[in-house]
Amino acid sequence: MQFLIIIAAVISFLFFRVFYFLGFPIPEVIAKGVTSEFFVFYGFYCFFKNQDKSPAFTRYGIKMLAGLSVAVLADVVINLNIPAGMMTFLVMQIFYIAAFSHFKPISAKYIALTIVVAVIFLVGDLFTPFFYLKTLFVPLAIYTFFLIGSTLKALDALSLANKRASLIPFAAILFLASDFVLQFTLGDICELSFIPDQIANNLCHVLYYAAQFMFAHSLSKDFLKE
């Protein structure tokens, strides 16, 4: 069943990509929204099929499922309004941070490191000549803080004894990479002549869906048992 869900998701993704390539005007809000439903369905399937869950893993799973569910809404909203979409994805990142906090508690050191890395990313955007952030800078700055925070918190999974947990930081890095590529697909804040929009768009979606499916797959086995 798990394999069939993934195959269906791949077919859905390729179906809409082919339609774009052929020039059919399918709204991105529909294409992305439909495909995103699969990683939520996959996450719920993995979580409820996994009958041998510890209380800690159950709490982790509930927060992860909440984040995945919000992500579907964010996929729709961001195609209608970019700032509103960022803020919806921010809510998703908050759920992810809460889930990853079951690996290690949030500390002052973690918050300080998050601020430093987020500032580095934002300074890079500000001084990159082909970015024009304008009114998007404030929502982007707020979202970047939570995105970096989520990525750094996911790295705590590397300290867990169960090697299955290493899937989490890998997925978080893919998500970070997808958001980095996403910047190059937003014509109102970025102008690039050396990367075709379709290449950047497809790469962004591949990284994004790979990350979300890995997060969903992490619910199929308890890696928090002592």
Side-chain angles (χ1 to χ4, degrees), residues 37-206:
E37 292 286 350
F38 285 101
F39 63 67
V40 176
F41 181 50
Y42 185 65
F44 273 92
Y45 175 81
C46 290
F47 182 73
F48 287 105
K49 185 182 179 184
N50 181 4
Q51 299 295 318
D52 188 25
K53 299 186 289 288
S54 63
F57 189 81
T58 299
R59 291 191 292 270
Y60 161 81
I62 291 172
K63 294 167 185 175
M64 178 56 65
L65 288 174
L68 291 170
S69 299
V70 171
V72 177
L73 176 62
D75 284 335
V76 173
V77 174
I78 199 167
N79 287 283
L80 302 174
N81 183 279
I82 292 176
M86 283 184 184
M87 293 304 100
T88 310
F89 271 115
L90 183 151
V91 175
M92 177 206 71
Q93 297 293 359
I94 291 174
F95 278 118
Y96 285 174
I97 291 171
F100 302 153
S101 295
H102 288 287
F103 309 153
K104 282 184 181 179
I106 292 176
S107 65
K109 181 180 178 180
Y110 155 75
I111 295 174
L113 182 60
T114 297
I115 293 172
V116 170
V117 176
V119 168
I120 291 173
F121 269 73
L122 289 168
V123 169
D125 279 350
L126 281 174
F127 288 95
T128 300
F130 43 75
F131 281 124
Y132 308 93
L133 299 176
K134 301 178 183 177
T135 57
L136 283 180
F137 179 74
V138 172
L140 179 64
I142 297 172
Y143 174 70
T144 298
F145 173 78
F146 286 93
L147 171 65
I148 298 300
S150 175
T151 306
L152 293 177
K153 206 77 196 77
L155 297 179
D156 289 340
L158 295 174
S159 65
L160 300 177
N162 194 319
K163 297 303 180 184
R164 179 66 171 271
S166 61
L167 186 70
I168 302 299
F170 184 61
I173 291 172
L174 287 182
F175 198 107
L176 178 65
S178 75
D179 271 359
F180 177 76
V181 175
L182 176 63
Q183 297 178 105
F184 301 104
T185 69
L186 303 175
D188 50 348
I189 70 169
C190 178
E191 292 182 5
L192 282 181
S193 58
F194 54 88
I195 299 180
D197 289 344
Q198 277 292 357
I199 292 178
N201 186 273
N202 286 329
L203 177 59
C204 171
H205 283 78
V206 168

